[in-house]
Amino acid sequence: MVRPSGPPAQLSESARPSKHREHPSKSPKRRREGKRLQRRGDGHEQLLSETERRRLPSQHEHSDLPGRAHFLHGPYPATHFGPKACILPNPTSVMHIQDPASQRLTWNKPPVNVLVIRKIRDESLVGPFKELCRFLVEEKQMMVYVERRVADDASLSMDETFGSIRNQLCTFREGYDDISDCVDLIICLGGDGTLLYASSLFQGSVPPVMAFHLGSLGFLTPFKFESYKTEVAKVFEGNAAITLRSRLKVKVVKDMLQRTGQESYGRDEAGKVTLQLQVLNEVVVDRGPSSYLSNVDLYLDGRLITSVQGDGVIVSTPTGSTAYAAAAGASMIHPNVPAIMVTPICPHSLSFRPIVVPAGVELMITLSPDARNTAWVSFDGRKRQEIQHGDCIKITTSCYPVPSICCHDLVYDWFESLAQCLHWNVRKRQARLADISDSSDTEN
């Protein structure tokens, strides 16, 4: 492989790989198959001809259909109930569902391009960053992508021993260069914020993410850097457990309700879509600098569910349930549970409890008509902006999850993070009784 020479190469339009990649369904092996087995909910299998299979929309085709895309993740549901009842088939709704035990990483082709994300403004990570880049470039013969501001760090430019490696790095700038079709694997060095930042760089399909715990909390970073060579080699070989962390697809629509009224729900063309994002943790709507209560209306699939009066509301993924939502009193949900959590922030009501709704529904948040002040919204703590009367925020489950590579497995890693990072259910053990006859419940 020819490596770039001189200063770190900047990603340019001419140097980017073609966006047209071979789809797995178009490979010669799959084209030769005349019939395909499709599993039914009752445990039986039925043969589908090639023509019949083409009539079934795929996950990517469904994302372009009118309406919204549904992405669910969990055990395969039974679609037949008893001898005669079943779910009515709906050609415009596709549920992508997989058994969590089968979530194993594999490579169609050996990975070549690796994106390394380093926590900025942390000098303690300069050494691990240089060590990892040297290992990937010299020993594994990988093309390494880094941010330009990381490559231009003074501590790297002054290190003459790292100069040869630095000249082979391919750099990019957030918001200017598109690397979505260039990266095969993401490696994060830092805390949970590095994983959130990696998610924000890929608004479509996300490459597998391997996160090393070099930050403060480390709830989403299960790997220890001391054994990085062994762990990275295992990932390159494939067959690693992964957790599919669902994201939220969020739209901010301006002047939607002012122009056409509440009855126009669901038609984005009635207003102007000013922002569309994929969010990994949560969407937070709060009262901002105002001293008044936040007063926003919450809709679910077009129906008004409730009005939130308090400091605001959090709409989070299961991954985000252990972040701001947990601090606001919500339950913690395993990332594999297909759900969206709605948590009020300091509600002025004793009965307003956090709720969990099914993944795939569409939530809409607007200012209440009698709200005294505007509201503010942020997405994973970024891109904070003001919401006026007539604006709305639409939220649903994204079709593009973040495949997070597990250190052990998706169950052990999550509970280990609960115990190590949040000290979940940690208390002094109750002393054992010396003689069972001393127990008060046995005296009678």
Side-chain angles (χ1 to χ4, degrees):
M1 176 182 296
V2 179
R3 299 284 185 177
S5 59
Q10 179 184 351
L11 192 65
S12 61
E13 288 291 341
S14 59
R16 292 176 194 158
S18 172
K19 295 186 177 181
H20 301 285
R21 290 187 173 182
E22 183 182 10
H23 194 276
S25 62
K26 297 180 181 180
S27 62
K29 180 180 179 181
R30 291 179 180 256
R31 280 199 299 265
R32 287 195 298 265
E33 296 177 358
K35 291 183 178 292
R36 189 66 61 93
L37 286 173
Q38 184 189 35
R39 184 165 295 279
R40 288 168 26 189
D42 55 2
H44 295 75
E45 295 178 344
Q46 67 182 89
L47 282 171
L48 293 180
S49 66
E50 192 74 19
T51 304
E52 291 170 334
R53 276 198 311 110
R54 293 195 185 101
R55 295 174 183 170
L56 298 176
S58 66
Q59 176 185 344
H60 300 286
E61 292 170 343
H62 178 63
S63 61
D64 297 327
L65 290 173
R68 63 181 185 278
H70 292 244
F71 177 85
L72 302 182
H73 198 270
Y76 197 99
T79 56
H80 289 71
F81 312 98
K84 296 183 178 179
C86 65
I87 294 178
L88 182 66
N90 184 358
T92 64
S93 178
V94 175
M95 294 186 298
H96 178 79
I97 298 178
Q98 183 181 9
D99 182 5
S102 64
Q103 292 174 204
R104 309 292 299 184
L105 175 67
T106 185
W107 302 101
N108 295 326
K109 296 180 180 179
V112 175
N113 302 324
V114 180
L115 169 62
V116 178
I117 297 179
R118 195 199 91 191
K119 184 180 179 181
I120 306 297
R121 298 184 300 273
D122 191 344
E123 294 300 324
S124 65
L125 297 183
V126 175
F129 173 77
K130 293 190 294 185
E131 191 176 344
L132 176 63
C133 290
R134 191 182 303 276
F135 168 73
L136 293 174
V137 172
E138 293 183 346
E139 297 189 30
K140 292 299 181 180
Q141 302 298 311
M142 296 288 171
M143 176 68 74
V144 177
Y145 288 75
V146 299
E147 284 187 276
R148 176 187 285 185
R149 57 179 176 170
V150 172
D152 292 342
D153 192 287
S155 58
L156 295 181
S157 58
M158 296 173 59
D159 188 352
E160 296 180 357
T161 60
F162 189 71
S164 60
I165 302 298
R166 180 176 176 271
N167 293 336
Q168 299 182 66
L169 301 179
C170 187
T171 64
F172 71 96
R173 294 177 298 168
E174 180 190 8
Y176 293 91
D177 301 314
D178 182 17
I179 60 172
S180 57
D181 288 338
C182 306
V183 176
D184 303 322
L185 174 68
I186 305 173
I187 299 180
C188 297
L189 303 178
D192 296 341
T194 58
L195 185 61
L196 295 175
Y197 178 67
S199 170
S200 68
L201 294 176
F202 297 85
Q203 293 299 300
S205 179
V206 185
V209 182
M210 186 179 189
F212 286 93
H213 175 35
L214 292 169
S216 53
L217 184 62
F219 194 91
L220 305 179
T221 54
F223 290 95
K224 295 182 180 180
F225 191 76
E226 290 76 10
S227 57
Y228 76 94
K229 289 187 177 181
T230 303
E231 300 295 348
V232 171
K234 288 181 181 178
V235 171
F236 286 160
E237 293 172 1
N239 198 27
I242 59 172
T243 298
L244 293 182
R245 300 184 179 275
S246 63
R247 296 194 290 180
L248 299 176
K249 179 182 177 182
V250 187
K251 289 182 181 179
V252 177
V253 185
K254 294 289 186 179
D255 301 329
M256 174 177 165
L257 303 181
Q258 284 182 343
R259 296 180 182 180
T260 56
Q262 299 275 358
E263 67 276 1
S264 67
Y265 173 87
R267 294 184 295 176
D268 293 339
E269 59 271 14
K272 180 182 179 182
V273 179
T274 60
L275 185 66
Q276 181 168 322
L277 289 174
Q278 306 282 335
V279 177
L280 178 57
N281 260 0
E282 73 275 302
V283 178
V284 177
V285 180
D286 59 67
R287 58 188 176 91
S290 174
S291 59
Y292 293 111
L293 289 175
S294 173
N295 196 345
V296 297
D297 293 338
L298 178 65
Y299 293 80
L300 194 151
D301 280 343
R303 301 192 179 193
L304 178 64
I305 300 301
T306 189
S307 293
V308 182
Q309 297 184 86
D311 282 354
V313 63
I314 305 169
V315 180
S316 61
T317 63
T319 297
S321 68
T322 52
Y324 194 176
S331 298
M332 295 178 290
I333 304 177
H334 190 278
N336 241 74
V337 177
I340 300 175
M341 175 172 284
V342 180
T343 306
I345 307 173
C346 299
H348 201 245
S349 171
L350 297 178
S351 60
F352 197 164
R353 303 292 298 274
I355 60 172
V356 178
V357 298
V361 301
E362 185 173 63
L363 298 172
M364 185 176 76
I365 300 176
T366 65
L367 276 177
S368 299
D370 54 352
R372 295 184 178 184
N373 54 294
T374 61
W376 289 76
V377 60
S378 61
F379 315 92
D380 282 345
R382 308 180 71 193
K383 301 186 181 296
R384 185 171 172 82
Q385 58 184 273
E386 190 174 13
I387 298 299
Q388 310 261 358
H389 283 280
D391 302 342
C392 75
I393 306 164
K394 293 186 175 183
I395 307 170
T396 189
T397 308
S398 170
C399 291
Y400 302 104
V402 175
S404 179
I405 301 176
C406 301
C407 182
H408 299 94
D409 60 68
L410 61 158
V411 174
Y412 179 87
D413 282 10
W414 192 71
F415 281 97
E416 180 73 6
S417 296
L418 288 182
Q420 297 296 327
C421 301
L422 300 182
H423 301 291
W424 176 65
N425 196 27
V426 175
R427 71 179 296 271
K428 188 176 181 180
R429 297 285 297 180
Q430 187 177 26
R432 179 183 178 184
L433 293 176
D435 188 355
I436 193 62
S437 62
D438 295 338
S439 179
S440 59
D441 60 352
T442 62
E443 290 179 357
N444 295 329

